Amino acid sequence: MPVPRLKSSLSGDTGTKSMAADTLNARITRRYIALVALSMTLMGILVLFTIRAYTIREAKTELQKSTRIISELAGGQLNNEATLNEFILEQLIRDRFRRGVEFRAYGYTMAIVDREGRLLLPRTGQDLIFLTTKALPALWNRILAKQPYESGFEYFKADGVQYICSVLPTENIFVLLYLPIKSIQGITGGLILLIVLLVGCSCAVAAIVGKMMASSISRPIIQMKNATKDIARRKFDNLPVITTGDELEDLAGSIRSMSEELKNYDLSQKTFLQNVSHELKTPLMSIQGYAEGIKDGVFKDEAVTRALDVVVDESMRLKNIVEELVYLTKLETMEDFFRPDLENIMELVEESVEKVRGLALTEGKNIEISPGDPAVLTLDRDKIIQALMNILGNCLRHASSRVWVDTGLNRGGFYEIHVHDDGPGFTPEDLKNAFKRFYKGTGGSTGLGLAITRAIVNMHGGSIEISNKTEGGASYRIMLPVSHAARYAPTKPPLAK
């Protein structure tokens, strides 16, 4: 059943991951051993074939050389005597080769045949039987087929054994020198055992070295795996420091950076929840207190009306906080909440100023806008206006008598919007925390306005800064990229020129 399998998988999660780490270690070791074994085997086979080819070539050279010497000795004896004497010829050969051993100890066998194919030497023994019944008939047919015959090598098979024979013709005779090919190959037989032993020893050494190498590779991976488990448990400190000098070190650095980001995010979420609780608790307590007072008859006559006004005001404030929280959350999490089009930025700035001009007149303050560079940018119209109105509202709240706006293109490919006031400016605490959620400066409302403004500007690929003017007053600086490529295609054509 699917469910029991799922439960089994989850219950054995730790063991499975440990097994995966062990498998990685073992896999590296096995592949290293296999690589070494394959390399040594291929090298051994190459060396074996090279030595075998060299041995056969040298054996042929020696056969040819010995055949010429024997041919000279046999020819010289025939010049002095009517027939060949096997004993005298072997004595001459021993003297010539300066070896005090029997000629057959060299590993090859001599035969001398006249021009008619009659065997002259040897005249007795097993070699005579072997030559007359098996070797000579096959060889002589090949020699006759190649008349006039020059010196060379012939191969023949007898009793299941392959032989190589050096043939050298003279004026009266053919000198044959043959030996089994396996006697040549037997020289390399010991090399096969040596290669097998060498490969075995190499595999043993490779197993030790491979285990060490695998451990050095898998150890930092296991450390990073454990670090990710700690991060999942919100333990962001005591991360391992890995200094391998390769991609693993880069990966560890990325995990450390991710941990710092998650730590900051976790802290900001805790702070956010604390601030939300505080901001919602205050109007709720006020509403609860007045509602209970009305219920218990504490408020009479006009006091009831004032109490109800407070309840309505606090309810509206609570509603505004919730709406701004929802709006900010949508800005940060819902991509389809962002709908850009090609917009004339100066028109948006002017529209924003006009929307707050009535508030400025009510408070007896002047708001001005300087003519700026015209530009068409990819923007979400409503959200940019919302961001500008938040800033203009803050400036009007703190200005003594005047707020002014100036705009223009800079050399870095950004369109800048500056909003200034002639108020007291920002405090050091304001400069540090103004864009944090629920941070309220002097006369602040919900503490979410500038957080929303920054989210909107960031969504457009821009940035926002605050500062104090030298002559006094606050200054806001918004920079929007002129060449910003929106994440969504514009839904209407460019403005007509």
Side-chain angles (χ1 to χ4, degrees):
M1 297 291 291
V3 174
R5 282 202 297 268
L6 179 59
K7 290 182 177 179
S8 174
S9 174
L10 292 173
S11 62
D13 183 62
T14 304
T16 302
K17 291 181 179 179
S18 299
M19 188 181 299
D22 293 338
T23 302
L24 174 64
N25 196 321
R27 191 183 302 122
I28 294 173
T29 303
R30 287 197 301 270
R31 291 182 179 179
Y32 181 75
I33 294 174
L35 178 63
V36 171
L38 180 62
S39 301
M40 294 301 298
T41 301
L42 292 176
M43 187 179 296
I45 292 173
L46 180 62
V47 170
L48 179 63
F49 277 101
T50 302
I51 293 178
R52 179 171 291 182
Y54 174 79
T55 305
I56 293 175
R57 186 173 65 251
E58 287 298 309
K60 285 183 175 181
T61 303
E62 289 297 319
L63 275 175
Q64 253 181 348
K65 181 180 177 181
S66 300
T67 305
R68 290 193 186 96
I69 294 173
I70 294 171
S71 176
E72 292 174 4
L73 295 175
Q77 189 178 5
L78 285 173
N79 290 334
N80 297 325
E81 302 177 18
T83 59
L84 287 173
N85 187 305
E86 186 174 4
F87 176 77
I88 295 174
L89 183 58
E90 287 189 356
Q91 184 64 43
L92 292 172
I93 292 172
R94 281 198 299 270
D95 293 342
R96 182 66 178 267
F97 282 95
R98 298 179 180 178
R99 299 273 183 95
V101 294
E102 191 175 299
F103 183 69
R104 289 184 182 85
Y106 299 139
Y108 39 77
T109 305
M110 175 188 68
I112 298 178
V113 183
D114 64 13
R115 285 284 177 174
E116 301 301 323
R118 292 186 293 270
L119 185 64
L120 302 179
L121 289 179
R123 294 193 179 95
T124 60
Q126 293 295 324
D127 291 336
L128 174 63
I129 298 173
F130 176 78
L131 283 164
T132 54
T133 60
K134 298 178 180 180
L136 194 56
L139 280 173
W140 188 248
N141 289 333
R142 293 183 185 181
I143 293 172
L144 290 178
K146 296 178 181 179
Q147 294 295 333
Y149 193 90
E150 299 180 357
S151 61
F153 293 96
E154 298 293 340
Y155 295 87
F156 66 93
K157 191 173 183 179
D159 295 333
V161 180
Q162 191 76 19
Y163 289 85
I164 182 173
C165 179
S166 174
V167 181
L168 181 65
T170 65
E171 183 179 351
N172 301 317
I173 60 175
F174 287 89
V175 178
L176 310 177
L177 222 59
Y178 63 92
L179 76 161
I181 292 179
K182 67 178 182 180
S183 65
I184 302 174
Q185 297 175 341
I187 300 174
T188 60
L191 289 175
I192 298 177
L193 179 60
L194 180 62
I195 290 172
V196 171
L197 292 175
L198 183 60
V199 171
C201 293
S202 299
C203 290
V205 174
I208 299 172
V209 176
K211 185 68 176 177
M212 296 172 62
M213 290 177 60
S215 297
S216 66
I217 295 173
S218 62
R219 189 182 301 112
I221 296 176
I222 294 173
Q223 289 177 334
M224 287 187 284
K225 179 196 72 174
N226 295 332
T228 56
K229 288 183 179 179
D230 290 339
I231 293 172
R233 301 187 191 102
R234 287 185 168 83
K235 296 180 181 179
F236 302 107
D237 300 321
N238 301 322
L239 295 179
V241 178
I242 296 174
T243 56
T244 56
D246 53 19
E247 288 83 357
L248 291 177
E249 183 175 342
D250 296 337
L251 178 59
S254 299
I255 292 176
R256 194 175 298 107
S257 299
M258 178 189 69
S259 176
E260 288 295 324
E261 292 293 329
L262 290 175
K263 181 179 179 181
N264 294 333
Y265 178 77
D266 191 60
L267 181 61
S268 67
Q269 289 297 99
K270 291 177 181 177
T271 304
F272 170 72
L273 291 175
Q274 292 171 356
N275 291 336
V276 169
S277 300
H278 175 74
E279 292 297 324
L280 297 181
K281 182 179 180 181
T282 302
L284 285 173
M285 288 179 63
S286 180
I287 293 170
Q288 181 183 4
Y290 279 99
E292 289 177 352
I294 294 171
K295 178 182 178 182
D296 296 337
V298 175
F299 301 102
K300 303 292 183 179
D301 302 327
E302 293 183 2
V304 173
T305 302
R306 289 195 298 271
L308 290 174
D309 289 340
V310 172
V311 170
V312 172
D313 291 342
E314 291 300 306
S315 298
M316 290 300 297
R317 188 159 77 91
L318 186 62
K319 177 176 176 290
N320 291 337
I321 292 174
V322 172
E323 286 179 348
E324 290 193 353
L325 276 174
V326 171
Y327 187 79
L328 180 58
T329 302
K330 287 181 178 180
L331 286 174
E332 295 178 341
T333 59
M334 297 178 63
E335 291 187 349
D336 58 354
F337 193 58
F338 179 60
R339 297 184 179 90
D341 285 317
L342 295 177
E343 303 286 352
N344 187 318
I345 184 62
M346 277 305 301
E347 289 182 1
L348 301 188
V349 173
E350 291 171 357
E351 183 176 342
S352 302
V353 170
E354 288 303 317
K355 285 180 180 292
V356 298
R357 193 176 294 279
L359 177 63
L361 293 174
T362 301
E363 297 185 1
K365 298 175 183 179
N366 187 30
I367 184 166
E368 304 169 1
I369 179 170
S370 302
D373 299 321
V376 176
L377 307 183
T378 305
L379 305 171
D380 187 315
R381 180 185 186 87
D382 293 336
K383 292 179 179 60
I384 287 293
I385 291 175
Q386 177 69 47
L388 292 173
M389 288 179 63
N390 287 346
I391 295 174
L392 291 168
N394 281 355
C395 289
L396 287 172
R397 190 180 304 118
H398 297 95
S400 299
S401 61
R402 179 172 175 253
V403 175
W404 67 99
V405 181
D406 55 71
T407 62
L409 288 165
N410 66 18
R411 295 180 180 178
F414 286 86
Y415 196 94
E416 294 191 9
I417 305 171
H418 296 265
V419 184
H420 316 278
D421 66 49
D422 59 354
F426 295 107
T427 65
E429 193 71 14
D430 293 339
L431 292 172
K432 181 180 179 182
N433 301 304
F435 294 105
K436 291 183 178 178
R437 298 176 182 182
F438 298 110
Y439 176 77
K440 297 179 185 178
T442 305
S445 178
T446 61
L448 294 172
L450 287 182
I452 291 173
T453 299
R454 184 174 66 172
I456 291 172
V457 173
N458 289 346
M459 181 178 284
H460 287 81
S463 62
I464 181 171
E465 302 171 355
I466 59 173
S467 61
N468 287 321
K469 296 163 69 265
T470 306
E471 63 273 18
S475 178
Y476 296 79
R477 180 192 184 196
I478 295 177
M479 292 196 302
L480 297 172
V482 175
S483 59
H484 175 58
R487 288 176 288 178
Y488 305 90
T491 57
K492 64 183 182 182
L495 297 175
K497 294 184 179 180

